[in-house]
Amino acid sequence: MKTADVVVIGAGVVGSSCALIMAEAGLKVIVVDRGPIAGGTTGAGEGNIMVSDKEIVPEIQLAVRSRNAWFEIADRIGNNFELQAKGGIALSRTDAGMAGLRALASHQNAHGIETIEVDGARLRELEPHMNPEIETAIHYPGDGQCQPMLSAAYFLRTVRHLKGEVWQRTEVLGFSKDKDGSIIGVRTSKEEISTRYVVNATGTWAGDIARLAGSELSIMPRRGFILVTTPAPKLIHHKVYDADYVANVASDSPELQSSAVVEGTESGTILIGASRERIGFDSRINMAALERLAKQAISVFPVLSKLELLRVYRGFRPYSPDHLPVIGEDANVKGLFHCAGHEGAGIGTAPGSGEILTAMILGKPTFMDATPFLPKRFQGVA
Amino acid sequence: MSRTIIVGGGPAGMSAAVEIARAGGDAIIIDSNPRLGGQYWRHGPVAEFSYDGERFVALQAEINNHPSIEVRASTQVWRASYQDGVATLWLNDGTSLTGETLLIATGAYDRSLPFPGWDLPGSMTAGGAQAILKASGALLGRSVFVAGTGPFLLPVAASLVEAGVKVLGVLEANRVNGWVNHLGAVDVRKMKDAVRYFKILSAAKVPIRMGYAIIEARGDGRIEEVVIAKVDRNFTVKPGTVEVHKCDAIATGWGFTPDLTIAHSLGVSTDVHPIDRSVVIHVDAFQETSQYGIFAAGESTGVGGVDLALIEGRIAGIAIAVQRGLISTVEAKNRSVGLASERSKIRKFANALLSVYKIREGWRSWLNPETILCRCEEVTFKQVRNVVHDLGASDVRTAKLLSRCGMGMCQARVCGRMVADVIGAEIGAPATDDELRGIHNRPIAHPISLQTLADQGQ
Amino acid sequence: MRIYLNGVEVEATENESVGTFLLKRRQQVLRKTRFNDQPRGMFCGIGVCFDCIVTIDGIANQRACITQLRDGMRIEVTS
């Protein structure tokens, strides 16, 4: 039987962030995943480290701290994961839309997010290829980007160097508890691990792990998909978010109310992501959504009409009933800590989430009031 | 909807179209080439062939004479789907096609192995060297080596000689003895072909060297010389046999990879070939796939050459005619006399060739740490080793996503299989059947203009 | 027909692909790679490998081997 201070279930960005921060705090960590490294949602994400899209105060606090934590991690372990502070731009071409963006920006600004309203001339400096008809936007210097799979892999590499272990292709079969119902071990397909603390960082599968431990947690999948263009010289410098829906009155289909997020990557490809798509576990490509995204992206950057679509990739974003992440100890099972349901923000807010959990496990104060994230908001207290 | 969609206008697609038309049915052939004929009968604006052109001319004449066959050339399928018994193809001109019956006749392309310098200009696949020659008389170089494995190297070298290229040698990595006799046992035409190639090559004094391989190409900005060596039965270089030769181009080929991109999108079941582990479409005796109404013929069901492709195309065409209610099963039997036995005879022989001309794993010893494996993303052998040994990638997909190997514009068509083998060797467990299948998963089959896509949504 | 190769007008007579047209003009190198700036030319010759990509009429990444010449076509190569 193995012994660990903490067993982290899930080798995505969220699990590997938790494992990294805990290992750095001196804890002996074993990461267990039924698949390979970053085999789930992490492998199908853009690598968003965004502050610009956060609206609710606790989410803003988590995002701001996490954003800074990303760069601190890069300083500590080396930036091998294409982390860059590229900045974001949110735009709207309607007066009502801009009014909405301004109101959000002033709210965000009051909570520590840097926001700058920019005019057409400044926009052209920031994004020379942007449609000249767009004359105003909000610039968010704090938005960043990373390569999520490389991030998870390098975090876990550091964990291994800190005497932690990473068990891939290892299924969690059950939990051992003492007579008070507290966790004392994890049974896996490989071998049993004696531990007092378990972190459930399994994203869309977090509910399954909660049930396996005798509790419950409602985490649902939301489909996201990303268009990848053929490589081009650097054309787009920021994460550019078009807040206007492509209005389609004839259709009430939710995936047609898409908003494009357009950005360049280190490898030269351009990513066009759909910001809203609440649809089930159907992984087929929706042609209408694809066409609208292409159209909207070209309307922001006409130069994209000269590029081609190379790939489409799809993933399922885990979300909780109130769309806030679930971070903290299970209300029913002592020693089981959840860290899941980050929806589209899991990569960006992973380090802050890991810091909160590490503080909780070590009995230290958290950097923010984490009450809104506690799982007990959905769970009957035992 | 009653019209049969044929993807690929090579021998299999052409012969199927003719059978469908003879039975009174309609068909549309889609092909990315400007002209029918596929890779085997690739030709320029004038249909001229140095040999075996008669069968093409006859097929093309019949296709031209049937108003029920439409040919859409220079057209690419960028996406395909199959749902509720209906196949849909999206074409790069912004249009789409739907049909209840579809034939996959997408053929195959050269399988490549990497070696230092294989990315230099002047290095082409054997099929590529022949394709540019057939299509427009273009020559890859003045003095070239033809190398790799497989019977295909001979016609490539022979046609280069006929076009006036100085062929410095044909290097066959496998040691093959007396295969011409095997040929004769099966097919007189093949026997005659082989004799013809040998005559051309020996008249031009082209050395044919068995058990030799190109292990490196060098040059400043283009190929100037190659390093060749004798290899053992496992393809490992024999010490003391290295030679350096001046040349300005090389053509290398290591057999073929069936093109399964469209098949994968249509969701048909595939097999992993027991001999070379290539992924091939699973078909029944009527060339029908696991999806009702979707048929497959030619190299995509397993590499077997032009004669097999023609027969499979005919069998598929006749079966389609029956399924569409155009002819009775009795009539189908009359039209199919001898086809099934001929198919199994050629298939058996094709499998024998696959065994003889297998890729042996010692080829990996030709790599050095800086050798490019993924041409598109310029990923080196060292980088792939690194994601396995330093970052903990424990399967093909993870190694690919962490290294970007296979993530480029060709979508792993060139390096996918070879990288899977490299990763398998590094991990210590060969790629699984499903990992090999996964290489062919390309939901966007070819790049499509964002503007074309946007215009479709009008 | 008239073709513009890196802005220079050239005459083309044959109905052929951009790739073979350029190869016959001794233009073996068609582009430089985006990470290591290495020269590349035609490799597979049949539209599979995307090594021969050039800019045609302002659209980047077009495969020279399967794009047929057209009158007035503008081709940009890097060598």
Side-chain angles (χ1 to χ4, degrees):
Chain A
M1 173 136 68
K2 279 269 183 181
T3 301
D5 294 324
V6 186
V7 171
V8 176
I9 311 172
V13 159
V14 171
S16 59
S17 295
C18 290
L20 172 68
I21 292 159
M22 288 169 186
E24 286 181 326
L27 297 170
K28 155 87 184 171
V29 183
I30 297 179
V31 180
V32 176
D33 198 296
R34 64 177 183 176
I37 293 169
T41 300
T42 297
E46 303 98 316
N48 282 335
I49 300 170
M50 285 172 97
V51 290
S52 57
D53 63 344
K54 306 297 182 290
E55 300 179 14
I56 303 162
V57 173
E59 223 185 356
I60 293 175
Q61 292 171 326
L62 178 63
V64 169
R65 171 59 205 145
S66 294
R67 189 265 176 205
N68 294 335
W70 264 104
F71 287 88
E72 292 165 15
I73 291 171
D75 285 343
R76 291 201 300 274
I77 74 170
N79 183 357
N80 294 304
F81 35 88
E82 301 174 13
L83 178 68
Q84 45 169 329
K86 65 197 305 187
I89 293 172
L91 63 93
S92 167
R93 276 165 278 186
T94 67
D95 292 343
M98 266 322 289
L101 286 180
R102 275 187 201 106
L104 176 60
S106 98
H107 166 68
Q108 290 168 323
N109 205 256
H111 291 92
I113 295 176
E114 189 184 356
T115 63
I116 307 164
E117 182 162 350
V118 289
D119 61 9
R122 176 67 180 140
L123 255 186
R124 239 53 71 205
E125 276 172 36
L126 294 171
E127 289 293 350
H129 292 285
M130 192 180 277
N131 185 342
E133 287 168 16
I134 299 170
E135 282 170 354
T136 179
I138 310 288
H139 178 209
Y140 290 86
D143 277 356
Q145 187 177 17
C146 69
Q147 208 276 33
M149 293 196 68
L150 281 176
S151 305
Y154 274 98
F155 290 5
L156 293 175
R157 176 177 179 267
T158 308
V159 168
R160 283 194 299 270
H161 290 174
L162 293 169
K163 309 287 178 238
E165 293 177 33
V166 181
W167 297 4
Q168 301 180 56
R169 271 172 250 302
T170 306
E171 196 101 28
V172 170
L173 304 174
F175 298 91
S176 306
K177 297 177 188 172
D178 65 13
K179 58 184 189 314
D180 302 327
S182 302
I183 284 190
I184 52 167
V186 180
R187 292 192 303 279
T188 77
S189 55
K190 200 166 165 187
E191 97 182 83
E192 181 156 356
I193 308 166
S194 163
T195 187
R196 308 287 306 184
Y197 299 104
V198 170
V199 174
N200 174 18
T202 55
T204 45
W205 299 282
D208 296 348
I209 293 293
R211 263 190 301 284
L212 201 59
S215 188
E216 56 173 2
L217 191 66
S218 175
I219 301 289
M220 307 285 288
R222 173 174 72 84
R223 185 170 78 164
F225 72 89
I226 300 165
L227 315 190
V228 186
T229 70
T230 56
K234 195 99 185 154
L235 296 172
I236 297 172
H237 305 269
H238 299 78
K239 241 171 232 296
V240 178
Y241 169 65
D242 185 349
D244 297 334
Y245 293 149
V246 178
N248 185 344
V249 250
S251 168
D252 55 3
S253 168
E255 73 264 26
L256 293 186
Q257 298 172 352
S258 67
S259 272
V261 182
V262 186
E263 64 188 304
T265 66
E266 288 287 278
S267 70
T269 56
I270 290 167
L271 309 180
I272 306 170
S275 68
R276 277 167 197 255
E277 221 205 347
R278 301 217 162 92
I279 198 164
F281 242 126
D282 181 356
S283 69
R284 284 187 302 241
I285 299 177
N286 179 315
M287 281 297 295
L290 220 76
E291 292 158 4
R292 293 202 162 266
L293 269 180
K295 197 172 173 174
Q296 195 182 16
I298 290 171
S299 81
V300 179
F301 289 102
V303 66
L304 291 176
S305 68
K306 304 270 185 207
L307 281 186
E308 293 177 310
L309 172 66
L310 174 61
R311 276 197 305 272
V312 174
Y313 58 98
R314 291 149 288 175
F316 293 94
R317 319 272 184 254
Y319 72 94
S320 74
D322 63 2
H323 297 278
L324 281 181
V326 179
I327 308 168
E329 192 167 19
D330 191 278
N332 302 311
V333 181
K334 206 165 169 342
L336 174 64
F337 288 74
H338 301 294
C339 195
H342 293 73
E343 202 156 353
I347 288 152
T349 56
S353 306
E355 289 183 356
I356 290 174
L357 272 193
T358 307
M360 285 174 169
I361 285 172
L362 294 175
K364 291 185 174 169
T366 53
F367 69 82
M368 64 175 285
D369 174 13
T371 314
F373 302 140
L374 293 179
K376 71 176 180 196
R377 69 190 194 272
F378 305 124
Q379 298 175 323
V381 180
Chain B
M1 286 291 267
S2 69
R3 181 164 70 165
T4 298
I5 301 169
I6 297 174
V7 190
M14 291 177 83
S15 72
V18 162
E19 287 297 338
I20 292 165
R22 283 178 189 168
D26 299 333
I28 177 167
I29 305 177
I30 309 291
D31 200 294
S32 61
N33 289 328
R35 288 168 279 274
L36 288 176
Q39 306 309 342
Y40 181 72
W41 282 317
R42 186 182 280 269
H43 58 279
V46 183
E48 285 173 339
F49 303 91
S50 54
Y51 61 96
D52 194 19
E54 319 81 40
R55 292 189 289 179
F56 171 79
V57 171
L59 278 170
Q60 189 175 43
E62 193 164 348
I63 286 171
N64 289 343
N65 289 335
H66 270 295
S68 59
I69 306 177
E70 185 189 339
V71 177
R72 209 171 297 175
S74 299
T75 301
Q76 282 172 50
V77 177
W78 67 269
R79 177 166 131 68
S81 79
Y82 178 83
Q83 220 181 318
D84 307 322
V86 177
T88 306
L89 301 181
W90 283 265
L91 310 177
N92 63 336
D93 62 5
T95 63
S96 62
L97 284 175
T98 56
E100 289 170 347
T101 322
L102 183 145
L103 176 73
I104 304 167
T106 45
Y109 52 86
D110 285 81
R111 191 168 158 189
S112 295
L113 291 183
F115 50 86
W118 74 306
D119 51 326
L120 281 170
S123 161
M124 286 192 79
T125 65
Q130 200 181 41
I132 61 170
L133 178 60
K134 282 177 172 177
S136 73
L139 306 177
L140 77 162
R142 313 269 148 201
S143 54
V144 310
F145 278 94
V146 177
T149 193
F152 181 58
L153 300 180
L154 295 175
V156 171
S159 52
L160 290 173
V161 165
E162 286 183 315
V165 174
K166 173 83 185 150
V167 177
L168 301 168
V170 177
L171 313 182
E172 166 57 62
N174 277 296
R175 252 157 268 256
V176 189
N177 297 312
W179 65 274
V180 179
N181 300 333
H182 291 282
L183 274 176
V186 171
D187 187 329
V188 179
R189 183 200 297 274
K190 280 210 171 76
M191 176 76 181
K192 280 185 179 160
D193 284 348
V195 169
R196 209 176 64 82
Y197 304 143
F198 279 118
K199 266 191 189 154
I200 295 167
L201 294 175
S202 73
K205 299 195 169 52
V206 175
I208 299 173
R209 303 173 77 175
M210 297 284 177
Y212 273 83
I214 292 178
I215 57 165
E216 188 178 350
R218 300 170 183 159
D220 180 13
R222 59 184 181 81
I223 289 185
E224 291 164 352
E225 61 184 32
V226 288
V227 181
I228 72 174
K230 202 166 188 172
V231 295
D232 66 15
R233 290 191 184 284
N234 190 38
F235 286 8
T236 309
V237 174
K238 287 191 170 179
T241 63
V242 172
E243 304 167 18
V244 179
H245 294 270
K246 297 258 173 258
C247 68
D248 66 359
I250 55 176
T252 57
W254 298 92
F256 297 92
T257 301
D259 187 342
L260 288 223
T261 306
I262 300 300
H264 201 282
S265 292
L266 294 172
V268 307
S269 294
T270 52
D271 293 321
V272 172
H273 198 287
I275 298 170
D276 69 353
R277 299 202 77 207
S278 60
V279 182
V280 299
I281 300 173
H282 180 89
V283 288
D284 66 13
F286 300 101
Q287 301 293 136
E288 189 168 12
T289 69
S290 60
Q291 302 276 43
Y292 181 82
I294 308 291
F295 293 75
E299 311 292 56
S300 58
T301 68
V303 172
V306 61
D307 296 318
L308 186 58
L310 287 167
I311 287 168
E312 289 186 355
R314 289 191 62 193
I315 294 172
I318 293 165
I320 286 168
V322 172
Q323 193 174 85
R324 306 279 345 158
L326 300 167
I327 55 172
S328 67
T329 51
V330 175
E331 177 57 25
K333 270 194 186 132
N334 292 336
R335 294 183 186 209
S336 313
V337 172
L339 292 181
S341 66
E342 190 68 7
R343 176 179 59 187
S344 68
K345 195 172 93 183
I346 306 177
R347 175 68 70 200
K348 218 166 140 188
F349 176 67
N351 286 340
L353 284 183
L354 271 186
S355 303
V356 172
Y357 293 104
K358 244 175 112 158
I359 294 175
R360 322 283 163 177
E361 58 186 29
W363 69 265
R364 290 194 304 270
S365 66
W366 313 340
L367 303 175
N368 69 44
E370 302 306 327
T371 306
I372 296 277
L373 299 188
C374 169
R375 302 169 67 96
C376 298
E377 297 298 300
E378 303 171 72
V379 182
T380 61
F381 181 40
K382 184 174 75 186
Q383 287 170 301
V384 170
R385 286 181 52 97
N386 180 60
V387 299
V388 172
H389 300 296
D390 188 35
L391 291 187
S394 61
D395 66 320
V396 173
R397 180 178 178 270
T398 310
K400 177 178 152 176
L401 290 171
L402 289 176
S403 67
R404 297 196 59 77
C405 212
M407 299 281 286
M409 284 195 67
C410 90
Q411 298 194 71
R413 283 173 169 91
V414 174
C415 73
R417 169 61 195 279
M418 158 266 283
V419 167
D421 289 345
V422 168
I423 293 168
E426 295 299 328
I427 293 169
T432 64
D433 286 1
D434 281 342
E435 285 182 319
L436 294 178
R437 290 186 172 101
I439 294 168
H440 301 276
N441 177 26
R442 303 176 189 103
I444 308 294
H446 286 279
I448 173 77
S449 151
L450 284 175
Q451 187 66 57
T452 307
L453 197 60
D455 291 345
Q456 246 171 291
Q458 297 294 326
Chain C
M1 52 188 150
R2 289 183 201 295
I3 308 292
Y4 299 88
L5 181 57
N6 290 344
V8 178
E9 186 179 315
V10 291
E11 197 70 33
T13 48
E14 274 205 64
N15 183 4
E16 65 179 318
S17 74
V18 172
T20 56
F21 168 71
L22 293 175
L23 191 58
K24 288 175 183 173
R25 294 178 55 88
R26 301 282 189 115
Q27 184 81 48
Q28 203 175 29
V29 179
L30 300 177
R31 66 164 178 129
K32 293 285 181 68
T33 59
R34 57 193 218 281
F35 297 116
N36 301 334
D37 201 36
Q38 293 300 303
R40 291 282 173 84
M42 267 199 289
F43 179 65
C44 81
I46 58 170
V48 170
C49 77
F50 290 79
D51 242 337
C52 63
I53 49 178
V54 295
T55 299
I56 294 177
D57 294 334
I59 312 277
N61 303 320
Q62 301 303 297
R63 286 165 283 179
C65 69
I66 59 161
T67 307
Q68 296 297 111
L69 286 181
R70 285 186 306 269
D71 193 28
M73 185 180 258
R74 296 187 163 271
I75 306 166
E76 319 294 331
V77 302
T78 319
S79 58

